Amino acid sequence: MSNPLKIIPAAPDSESGVSRRAALQTLFAGVGAGLALPGAAEAQHPIHQHLANPGAIEQAQQRAAAAAYTPEFLDAHQSKTLEVLAEAIVPGSTAARVAPFIDQLLAVESADNQRAFLGSLGAFDMAAITKHARPWVALTAAEQDELLREASTADAKSPFRSHFQNVKDWIAGAYYSSEPGMRELGWTGNTFFQELPGCTHPGGHED
Amino acid sequence: MQTTTFDVIVVGSGASGGWAAKRLSEAGIKVALLEAGKPHGDADFNEHVAAYNLTYRDRASEWIRRTRPRQRDCYACREWNYKWFANDLEEPYTTPDGKPFSWQGRLRVVGGRTNVWARQSYRFSDQDLHGKSFDGHGDDWPIAYKDVAPYYDIVEDYVGISGQAENVPELPDGHFHPAMPMSCAETQLRTRVKSKLGYTVTIGRSANITRPINGRRACHYCGPCEHGCITHSYFNAAFTTVADALRSGNTTLITNAMVYRVLTDRSTHKATGVMYIDRVTREVREVRARAVLLCAQALESTRILLNSAEGGLANSSGVLGHYLMDHTWVAGGASGEFPDAPAPKPSLGAPRRPNGLYTIRMKNTINGPREKNYVRGFGFQGGGSTSFRMDAPGYGQAFKKGVLDPLTSVNLVGFGEVLARFDNFVEIDPKVVDKFGIPVLRITMTWGENEKAMIPDMAVTATRMLEAAGARNIQPFTVLDRIPGYGIHEMGTARMGRDSKTSVLNGFLQTHDISNLYVLDASSFVSSGCQNPTLTIMALAVRGCDHLMEEMKRGNV
């Protein structure tokens, strides 16, 4: 099993506590069997209990169940604009559900950060309207790409570049903390390593 | 009011309290171990939970700040573990206008701060303990290295410190587990800095075991020790000293016990016990014993003493609360890149070393030249890494490709000694209480001229080291307005000394005024050194317990 905390679909009668416990037990059994532990002696390792964290599992289930996500903070237009921008700035963001996660974060952010994000998102609409008299989501892919190139290469102190950087940081942070993003960076779920590699060169890299 | 009687009361179950409970109970003494926080153990650890399985993937700092605005300043307070920390709204402290202090690392679980500590473990040298004799500033400790050395041995043998002996007098060697390896860039730094500047860059001496001991398994290099450790591979009092104390059958652990004051008998001038408030039920309770050991963390222990009597208990000297110290941390240093050093590609699937580098104090050394602008010195912590370039330019596939372009760099961050000054102090704020009704501390601390002179030299020295090592794109930094407290090494406020007119404790951490009252945490420190204090806290705690047991045998306690 590649995913140590793979989500199983909620049972039709998942309102029932008994069914829920049964479902979790099934999941835990799968988790234990799939862990890359260093040896057979590890079969009784506390990791089995550790991963059987009902809170974490429950949260993951809730998120998975929220496929039809309703934004908490952004309005529908902002949410769509962010989704389109995210996919262009960090490809794969739509599948990784970057926009809904950023919305979830923004809902608990400080007013200053909320304001700054909305300002940066709005700057893309402003650029689109100024140049094409249409909002960002109505631009063609080529038109969006042209403006993104402009934003990403503008003077570092220019407002458009700053807004681009702000939105990009949010998107990149959300993407690379998602499961697809982490796996892209090498995450396997294995957290047990018997050795730590180090320098083996004789001479200690003296001049 | 319920009252229970024991031989000894230990207040706090962290680094010093855990050791006190273990040392005493294994000698047959009946101990009541009071912990202000919740029960805590393996089931609470979550170091292997991936960020994407957290609600906010540890990216919603403001959400944590809603209940822990100050604790969140601590790098170790994260979405995985923030509930282990005190709720700052429920347990506040105050500071004067214009003099902020960041009191972080206030844990409210069994094991205290050892749950999340950085595990760096260094001995103090005679130069640290007798700084006044060396440069004339402050006061010497009433003890010498030879007094503490046997206790460092005891603690190191049990805790398990991985590291490497270097035979440098400013940092005495100890009993080490096999050292964790250095990367090529780090090795290059060590070798070239030694040959060109004479400074010693060594692997951090860390309380992470690299071979099994006492049923604990060697480190498995998952990385985030501050989230707990199900293999018990770092030192955490919860699953080591406290567990041993409970196993002895002689320790009774009382959790959720917010100690308000030490109780005393005015006729005998002895401590008789403590009064505490149950965190959950809010019941007021008392525990009685022949002796009381405060191990609640430096500021919390002093707060208890200040709340125990008008003007403070055991304060005939008038120095209780004074001579507060921290270390200057993330105030000066530098980073540099090592693009030519061999390094594996970065990967989130690779082992992670829970440890860094340590550069042994190189200024105002025993046999070296003296600095003109400041006394004492600093060490560097930090270390090397080969990381992803999350700041890669552009967007789209070009950006994603840029992220994967490895960046090998080394950071050197100064940890500087802070001089003990009378005007850095804590007192009880008469206007503010916590949610339990216990008066809170008002903390007054600023950096002195010596610290301000030392910090810029950290940046200069780190830059020279990186230049000597052949680093590129060297970026020095200096932060002179860092708020005190970020070192998370509160020391002093009940200092030890030979003279009862100028100190609260004697060399065994027994209060001068009350023979059966000891304070075993870092509040006893006379000076701060530039080394992390926990190893010394533990060694002094064991030494204090041995003294207490001798006093009990003699009938003095």
Side-chain angles (χ1 to χ4, degrees):
Chain A
M1 192 168 100
S2 60
N3 178 359
L5 284 174
K6 192 171 181 177
I7 308 306
I8 57 173
D13 59 344
S14 61
E15 294 301 310
S16 156
V18 174
S19 296
R20 177 175 170 68
R21 279 198 299 276
L24 289 174
Q25 285 164 2
T26 305
L27 176 63
F28 299 157
V31 167
L35 278 174
L37 293 174
E42 301 299 299
Q44 300 305 314
H45 196 277
I47 187 69
H48 292 267
Q49 293 176 20
H50 177 57
L51 285 175
N53 179 340
I57 300 295
E58 189 171 356
Q59 288 170 6
Q61 283 182 322
Q62 287 171 351
R63 285 199 300 277
Y69 181 78
T70 303
E72 292 178 56
F73 177 74
L74 300 171
D75 65 28
H77 175 78
Q78 290 166 329
S79 186
K80 184 63 182 173
T81 304
L82 175 58
E83 186 177 327
V84 171
L85 270 172
E87 186 62 30
I89 292 173
V90 183
S93 286
T94 305
R97 301 179 60 75
V98 162
F101 178 63
I102 291 176
D103 174 76
Q104 191 183 346
L105 284 180
L106 286 167
V108 296
E109 260 295 351
S110 68
D112 283 348
N113 288 340
Q114 288 173 335
R115 204 163 22 241
F117 183 86
L118 293 182
S120 294
L121 198 60
F124 285 89
D125 262 349
M126 186 189 80
I129 292 167
T130 301
K131 192 153 191 174
H132 302 288
R134 282 173 283 142
W136 185 269
V137 293
L139 300 187
T140 65
E143 289 168 339
Q144 290 176 351
D145 191 59
E146 182 188 1
L147 282 175
L148 279 172
R149 189 175 301 116
E150 182 184 320
S152 63
T153 57
D155 183 90
K157 293 179 181 175
S158 71
F160 199 20
R161 176 75 179 270
S162 298
H163 290 310
F164 167 80
Q165 195 60 49
N166 185 27
V167 169
K168 177 186 167 184
D169 287 347
W170 277 88
I171 292 168
Y175 179 78
Y176 285 113
S177 63
S178 72
E179 182 174 355
M182 285 184 66
R183 291 192 180 281
E184 203 170 292
L185 299 181
W187 173 260
T188 63
N190 178 25
T191 50
F192 285 84
F193 303 92
Q194 289 187 310
E195 290 185 354
L196 183 71
C199 176
T200 56
H201 298 89
H205 300 279
E206 185 57 275
D207 280 330
Chain B
M1 184 182 297
Q2 297 182 26
T3 303
T4 316
T5 301
F6 295 86
D7 292 330
V8 176
I9 294 166
V10 176
V11 179
S13 67
S16 57
W19 264 106
K22 171 181 166 64
R23 191 74 171 173
L24 297 171
S25 61
E26 289 182 342
I29 292 171
K30 297 292 184 187
V31 173
L33 177 58
L34 275 62
E35 163 55 48
K38 296 179 291 187
H40 191 61
D42 290 3
D44 300 294
F45 299 153
N46 53 16
E47 73 276 18
H48 297 146
V49 172
Y52 57 77
N53 280 309
L54 302 175
T55 302
Y56 297 110
R57 303 179 199 164
D58 194 41
R59 304 191 73 80
S61 180
E62 290 300 321
W63 177 67
I64 293 175
R65 287 186 186 280
R66 289 182 184 182
T67 54
R68 289 155 179 88
R70 187 50 82 188
Q71 300 313 302
R72 182 63 188 89
D73 287 349
C74 173
Y75 69 95
C77 180
R78 314 177 77 193
E79 190 174 343
W80 283 270
N81 62 7
Y82 71 96
K83 289 183 179 175
W84 304 356
F85 289 73
N87 180 323
D88 289 311
L89 309 183
E90 296 176 351
E91 299 188 46
Y93 64 96
T94 64
T95 55
D97 289 343
K99 294 182 180 178
F101 181 91
S102 183
W103 188 9
Q104 309 170 20
R106 303 177 70 192
L107 274 291
R108 289 296 177 263
V109 289
V110 169
R113 200 180 286 182
T114 61
N115 280 280
V116 300
W117 69 312
R119 308 168 303 285
Q120 295 295 296
S121 302
Y122 302 98
R123 295 187 178 205
F124 276 33
S125 71
D126 263 332
Q127 187 189 26
D128 299 308
L129 301 177
H130 295 156
K132 182 181 182 181
S133 299
F134 186 76
D135 59 32
H137 181 86
D139 289 287
D140 287 342
W141 297 43
I143 54 177
Y145 178 72
K146 65 178 175 53
D147 299 317
V148 196
Y151 293 95
Y152 277 133
D153 293 345
I154 291 169
V155 169
E156 286 172 344
D157 287 343
Y158 177 83
V159 167
I161 313 291
S162 60
Q164 181 170 320
E166 297 288 0
N167 195 28
V168 175
E170 284 75 21
L171 191 73
D173 294 325
H175 295 185
F176 299 128
H177 279 221
M180 294 180 182
M182 290 185 183
S183 68
C184 291
E186 292 173 335
T187 304
Q188 180 173 320
L189 178 82
R190 170 182 164 87
T191 306
R192 298 185 185 182
V193 163
K194 189 71 173 181
S195 65
K196 294 177 182 175
L197 299 175
Y199 306 161
T200 300
V201 179
T202 188
I203 188 69
R205 296 175 179 176
S206 185
N208 291 86
I209 55 177
T210 51
R211 57 177 169 76
I213 52 168
N214 302 330
R216 298 164 56 204
R217 296 186 44 203
C219 178
H220 56 274
Y221 304 112
C222 72
C225 306
E226 63 274 14
H227 304 168
C229 184
I230 57 171
T231 57
H232 298 177
S233 305
Y234 78 102
F235 177 80
N236 178 335
F239 51 63
T240 54
T241 49
V242 172
D244 279 359
L246 294 174
R247 204 172 291 125
S248 76
N250 290 323
T251 287
T252 300
L253 175 62
I254 304 173
T255 53
N256 293 311
M258 285 291 296
V259 173
Y260 191 139
R261 62 167 68 108
V262 175
L263 304 170
T264 52
D265 182 328
R266 290 186 179 180
S267 62
T268 61
H269 297 290
K270 294 284 183 88
T272 57
V274 300
M275 184 261 271
Y276 72 91
I277 296 166
D278 187 293
R279 175 180 285 273
V280 178
T281 67
R282 305 297 171 81
E283 289 176 275
V284 178
R285 296 182 178 179
E286 289 183 2
V287 184
R288 303 270 175 175
R290 285 173 64 188
V292 174
L293 310 184
L294 297 182
C295 308
Q297 184 269 342
L299 303 190
E300 293 287 11
S301 289
T302 294
R303 177 189 177 196
I304 292 169
L305 290 174
L306 289 169
N307 273 327
S308 296
E310 186 69 32
L313 188 65
N315 191 26
S316 62
S317 66
V319 302
L320 180 66
H322 292 270
Y323 301 104
L324 170 63
M325 296 167 284
D326 185 23
H327 286 131
T328 54
W329 168 233
V330 201
S335 63
E337 297 177 10
F338 291 76
D340 302 325
K345 286 185 177 178
S347 171
L348 295 186
R352 294 163 65 188
R353 189 182 67 195
N355 189 15
L357 296 181
Y358 190 77
T359 304
I360 299 174
R361 172 176 164 177
M362 76 304 286
K363 297 300 178 77
N364 295 319
T365 53
I366 296 169
N367 298 312
R370 304 287 179 94
E371 292 295 314
K372 293 178 182 173
N373 298 332
Y374 62 88
V375 297
R376 311 297 162 90
F378 55 88
F380 285 116
Q381 300 191 28
S385 65
T386 299
S387 58
F388 298 104
R389 291 183 193 263
M390 300 311 294
D391 61 349
Y395 63 95
Q397 294 297 347
F399 166 68
K400 292 181 82 171
K401 187 179 177 186
V403 167
L404 301 179
D405 181 24
L407 172 66
T408 297
S409 61
V410 173
N411 297 304
L412 298 172
V413 186
F415 240 115
E417 175 158 355
V418 171
L419 297 182
R421 290 188 289 129
F422 186 83
D423 52 359
N424 283 335
F425 66 101
V426 300
E427 61 190 326
I428 295 299
D429 188 322
K431 297 178 181 175
V432 182
V433 298
D434 65 17
K435 80 172 211 176
F436 308 103
I438 304 174
V440 308
L441 283 183
R442 178 180 170 91
I443 305 173
T444 302
M445 184 172 186
T446 58
W447 297 138
E449 294 307 313
N450 199 67
E451 289 88 75
K452 291 175 183 173
M454 186 190 297
I455 288 170
D457 194 38
M458 294 176 177
V460 172
T461 304
T463 299
R464 286 183 180 148
M465 290 172 62
L466 290 165
E467 286 174 345
R472 300 182 195 173
N473 191 23
I474 297 169
Q475 302 284 338
F477 71 91
T478 298
V479 184
L480 284 170
D481 58 355
R482 173 81 62 196
I483 297 172
Y486 272 81
I488 325 180
H489 290 166
E490 308 84 28
M491 294 165 280
T493 69
R495 67 177 186 167
M496 64 171 94
R498 289 193 176 85
D499 187 348
S500 62
K501 293 177 181 171
T502 58
S503 58
V504 178
L505 310 172
N506 66 19
F508 294 102
L509 311 189
Q510 179 185 34
T511 61
H512 290 299
D513 296 357
I514 301 174
S515 62
N516 66 341
L517 175 62
Y518 289 64
V519 186
L520 298 184
D521 50 40
S523 50
S524 68
F525 282 30
V526 180
S527 59
S528 72
C530 61
Q531 299 95 317
N532 307 52
T534 305
L535 183 69
T536 301
I537 292 171
M538 294 191 282
L540 293 176
V542 177
R543 186 169 182 267
C545 286
D546 284 4
H547 180 263
L548 169 63
M549 288 190 283
E550 287 299 317
E551 291 288 275
M552 291 173 83
K553 283 179 190 170
R554 292 190 194 108
N556 294 335
V557 170

